[in-house]
């Protein structure tokens, strides 16, 4: 039976007869906030606003740093105002629109 004196998690575990996984903790110092290219957080008032879509990498970049990086590479493609290339760290596909 559901008991209001117990946590929802404990109630669910008892009702379902299972053990729910524990939440994983992480070290906040591992979170990267600075741009992976210029290694700065604030670039003339801009903060990193582009992120590598590879969940393992997930590096942040300033839009203009990423555009500059991608345009310097021979394998970068451009379609209208969007650049398509590879992440400088993990080589996963990455794209950025030039605004």
């Amino acid at each position: 039976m559901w008991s209001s004196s117990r946590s929802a998690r404990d109630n669910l575990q008892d009702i379902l007869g299972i053990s729910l996984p524990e939440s994983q903790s992480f070290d906040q110092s591992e979170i990267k906030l600075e741009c992976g290219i210029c290694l700065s957080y604030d670039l003339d008032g801009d903060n990193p606003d582009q992120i590598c879509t590879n969940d393992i990498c997930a590096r942040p970049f300033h839009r203009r740093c990423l555009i500059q990086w991608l345009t310097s590479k021979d394998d970068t493609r451009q379609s209208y105002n969007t650049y398509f290339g590879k992440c400088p760290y993990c080589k996963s596909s990455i794209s950025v629109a030039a605004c």
Side-chain angles (χ1 to χ4, degrees):
M1 294 304 282
W2 193 271
S3 172
S4 59
S5 64
R6 297 176 50 204
S7 71
R9 177 186 174 83
D10 290 339
N11 280 313
L12 285 173
Q13 288 184 128
D14 285 346
I15 291 170
L16 298 174
I18 62 170
S19 293
L20 297 172
E22 297 293 325
S23 63
Q24 296 179 357
S25 63
F26 62 93
D27 184 3
Q28 288 188 350
S29 66
E30 293 178 12
I31 298 174
K32 305 288 185 211
L33 297 176
E34 70 275 352
C35 174
I37 296 171
C38 73
L39 304 178
S40 173
Y41 178 73
D42 187 334
L43 182 64
D44 299 329
D46 291 333
N47 299 329
D49 60 351
Q50 305 296 304
I51 298 177
C52 177
T53 56
N54 180 338
D55 290 337
I56 295 171
C57 178
R59 294 273 183 166
F61 304 101
H62 294 109
R63 177 181 306 275
R64 62 182 159 167
C65 291
L66 189 54
I67 290 170
Q68 186 174 3
W69 171 267
L70 292 174
T71 56
S72 73
K73 298 298 174 188
D74 293 334
D75 59 349
T76 297
R77 298 179 332 271
Q78 181 179 1
S79 177
Y80 298 99
N81 70 335
T82 303
Y83 295 92
F84 300 88
K86 295 180 181 171
C87 172
Y89 283 89
C90 70
K91 306 299 183 215
S92 293
S93 296
I94 194 167
S95 64
V96 61
C99 293

